[in-house]
Amino acid sequence: MTGAPPPPPGAAVARNASPDTTRTRVHGKHFPSRIGALRSLVKERIVLMVVAATALGYGSAGAAPDGGAVLALVLIGTALLSAGSGVLNNVLEHEVDARMERTRRRALPRGAVSRRAAAWFGALLLAAGALLLWRGGGVLPALIGMLAALLYLLVYTPMKRRSWLNTPLGAIPGALPPLIGWSAAAGGLQAGAWILFAVLFLWQHPHFYAIAWAYRDDYRRAGLKMASEVGAGGRFLTTQVIVFAAALIPVSMALTATGTTGAAYAAGALVIGLLYLAAGVSFARRRDQDSARRLLRASVLYLPALLAIVIVDGWLP
């Protein structure tokens, strides 16, 4: 007597894939798996950078009345808005993520959670974030936060499939968090707020160009249009890196020229700006994975370093 016929191709994978069970069973022992899958959709590193940028704007503007309570609500609200944007980005790009090596194991491509559940989760995070921003900082921070989310989801995300211009366009919502913090602290947007907007706008280009280069094959497979595909040998991309990193130095120091910060800040901003530029120049010369990752690390360290410099500058007489 022969055994049962062999399973069709892929049946073993489907049988062993726990995401299928978490998709159909929400209660009991699978409920924690569903919660974990939803949590994994939150882009935590991006959330941390957004919170740091918001705190940078708040600290640069000066303390608001009841500053501790206001700051807490503003930072939590901004974090929730950023988290919700990240979740909804996962929903919009689930098919793209399934084609990329570095993203195909995310919750949605694996089927660990449904798109409907993820969409509701993201929408609730956005609503909660906007409410906390309005409660803590007022109407203007909440409007800026929602504008950033809408630009990220409705402009930057679809543009990635159409043109390499997705990076400069995406840098606009990415540069709005300092305006959230500043407007919450000052009640409006003065010159210093727009300088910080320019700082964040410039800073993002080397950061995302390093990512585009490091994962250029993955992006190509997914059909995404990145600057790494423009020109031959990456010259266009590396030229952009140097231009934006170099421009970041005088723009960041302009905060002192407007009287927002002191001489200590200017010196510190010059130092970290030169280090960031050096990492960009190294990447432009080598154009390899190691130099791209060093530039990425330098970019991740830049924002908290700038925030620390603002704080120290405020302590000095």
Side-chain angles (χ1 to χ4, degrees):
M1 180 179 179
T2 60
V13 174
R15 184 174 63 249
N16 294 329
S18 58
D20 291 335
T21 60
T22 59
R23 183 170 58 232
T24 56
R25 293 185 60 184
V26 181
H27 303 290
K29 65 180 181 179
H30 296 299
F31 185 69
S33 298
R34 175 66 64 89
I35 296 299
L38 286 172
R39 181 178 176 273
S40 72
L41 298 176
V42 176
K43 300 183 177 182
E44 295 177 352
R45 293 181 181 178
I46 294 179
V47 171
L48 289 175
M49 286 193 290
V50 168
V51 169
T54 305
L56 175 63
Y58 190 96
S60 299
D66 300 321
V70 171
L71 178 59
L73 288 173
V74 168
L75 294 185
I76 295 172
T78 304
L80 291 176
L81 269 177
S82 177
S85 299
V87 172
L88 293 176
N89 175 262
N90 275 281
V91 174
L92 294 173
E93 293 197 318
H94 71 282
E95 293 179 348
V96 172
D97 286 344
R99 295 196 294 266
M100 295 180 65
E101 180 64 28
R102 75 186 185 97
T103 58
R104 65 185 179 86
R105 297 178 185 84
R106 288 177 176 174
L108 284 173
R110 288 189 297 110
V113 66
S114 70
R115 278 182 288 161
R116 182 178 180 181
W120 274 108
F121 180 52
L124 287 172
L125 289 174
L126 282 182
L131 180 62
L132 286 180
L133 275 178
W134 170 75
R135 181 67 181 85
V139 174
L140 184 56
L143 288 177
I144 296 172
M146 285 305 299
L147 176 63
L150 292 175
L151 289 175
Y152 177 70
L153 294 170
L154 302 182
V155 177
Y156 167 68
T157 297
M159 185 59 68
K160 289 165 70 176
R161 306 187 191 194
R162 299 175 184 176
S163 170
W164 67 270
L165 290 171
N166 67 78
T167 297
L169 287 173
I172 296 173
L176 290 175
L179 302 190
I180 297 174
W182 186 291
S183 61
L189 296 174
Q190 289 74 36
W194 295 108
I195 292 173
L196 286 176
F197 174 87
V199 167
L200 266 290
F201 180 83
L202 295 170
W203 164 82
Q204 288 175 86
H205 287 78
H207 173 82
F208 286 111
Y209 286 148
I211 295 174
W213 181 263
Y215 298 102
R216 60 192 183 280
D217 293 335
D218 232 4
Y219 285 125
R220 189 183 303 116
R221 280 193 296 269
L224 299 182
K225 310 297 183 182
M226 310 304 289
S228 53
E229 299 299 312
V230 179
R235 285 187 178 181
F236 175 81
L237 180 143
T238 54
T239 300
Q240 297 289 308
V241 166
I242 294 176
V243 168
F244 282 104
L248 181 60
I249 296 173
V251 171
S252 63
M253 296 175 66
L255 280 177
T256 299
T258 61
T260 304
T261 56
Y265 164 84
L270 174 61
V271 170
I272 64 172
L274 288 173
L275 291 174
Y276 195 20
L277 177 60
V281 170
S282 175
F283 168 59
R285 288 177 175 174
R286 297 175 180 271
R287 299 180 197 172
D288 57 17
Q289 291 294 93
D290 288 341
S291 60
R293 294 183 189 280
R294 283 195 297 270
L295 175 58
L296 185 58
R297 284 195 295 270
S299 70
V300 170
L301 292 173
Y302 181 90
L303 275 188
L306 195 66
L307 175 59
I309 292 169
V310 167
I311 293 173
V312 171
D313 182 78
W315 288 342
L316 296 176

